[in-house]
Amino acid sequence: LPILGVISFVVGRVWTSQAWVFGFFGGAAFAFFLCLWWSPPGWIENWEQGAWGEEATGKVLGRLDQHSWRVVHDIQTAKGNIDHVVVGTGGVFVLDSKRPGGLVEVHGETVRVRRFEDPDLTYTFPTPPAAARLAAQTSARIAAATRIRLWVVPVIVVWGEFPQRLAEGKVVIIHGDELVEWLRQRPPVIAPENV
C-alpha cells in the first residue's frame, strides 16, 4: 500500500489534470495502511499479548537454580501448545501464560476478567480446563516414558492486574511476580536424581 501511494504521486505528476484523483486514491491507500499498522486485527493483538506473557514467564523462570530445576519452553502437542514445562524436586508443572486486558478475579474454578474500559463488561477464561487436560496428558507421557507416576500441576501465570496474587485449586492461578518463589517453596516429591 505505501508503494501504491508513491505510484499515485508519480502518476499524478505526469498527468497533472488528473492529479487530484491519483492523490485521493494514493492518500486513501496510505491512510488505510496506517490504520492497519497501528490497529492490528483482534486475533493478532491477542497473539501479541500472549507472546508477551510467555516471554515474561520465560524470563522469571531463568531465576530458578539450573542445577535443581529444568525448564522446557514452547512444546507443540496434538491438542495445543504448552508454553512451559518446569521440572524440579517440587514436581512437574505445566505453565500457561496469560496477559489479560483487565482485572482478574478467581471464584472457585472460574477465572473472570473485568475489562478496564468498562468494569461491567466481563469474560471468563476458558483456560483452566484446557490447562488441566494438558497436565493430565503430560502425566500420562511421563508415566509411559519413565514409569514414574506423579501428578503434573497445571498453572496459569497471569501478567496483569490480579489482586489475589494466588488461587490454588485443581488449576493454580498465580501472578507472574510470585511464580518463582512459589515453585521454590513446593515440598519435595521427586528425588533429585529423577529430576
Side-chain angles (χ1 to χ4, degrees), residues 75-106:
I75 301 168
Q76 298 298 322
T77 72
K79 304 252 178 165
N81 169 281
I82 299 175
D83 294 345
H84 313 275
V85 174
V86 180
V87 182
T89 56
V92 179
F93 306 87
V94 170
L95 278 53
D96 187 8
S97 301
K98 296 294 176 194
R99 191 169 182 225
L103 179 73
V104 176
E105 302 169 341
V106 179

Side-chain angles (χ1 to χ4, degrees), residues 36-165:
L36 284 178
W37 181 263
W38 286 331
S39 178
W43 64 271
I44 291 177
E45 281 190 61
N46 289 341
W47 176 85
E48 193 173 61
Q49 292 289 330
W52 286 337
E54 284 182 45
E55 189 175 303
T57 301
K59 187 181 277 187
V60 298
L61 290 173
R63 297 194 322 236
L64 288 170
D65 179 10
Q66 295 181 359
H67 298 293
S68 305
W69 294 90
R70 301 289 183 265
V71 180
V72 182
H73 306 281
D74 200 26
I75 301 168
Q76 298 298 322
T77 72
K79 304 252 178 165
N81 169 281
I82 299 175
D83 294 345
H84 313 275
V85 174
V86 180
V87 182
T89 56
V92 179
F93 306 87
V94 170
L95 278 53
D96 187 8
S97 301
K98 296 294 176 194
R99 191 169 182 225
L103 179 73
V104 176
E105 302 169 341
V106 179
H107 306 284
E109 298 299 317
T110 304
V111 182
R112 187 164 279 120
V113 179
R114 290 193 180 282
R115 298 248 184 221
F116 290 129
E117 63 275 6
D118 183 359
D120 293 331
L121 185 62
T122 65
Y123 67 92
T124 303
F125 262 178
T127 312
R133 278 193 302 277
L134 287 173
Q137 291 169 6
T138 305
S139 290
R141 286 183 172 177
I142 291 171
T146 65
R147 294 195 181 118
I148 298 172
R149 297 199 175 277
L150 55 96
W151 176 244
V152 173
V153 180
V155 180
I156 297 172
V157 182
V158 176
W159 293 98
E161 290 295 320
F162 181 36
Q164 281 174 270
R165 307 298 275 186

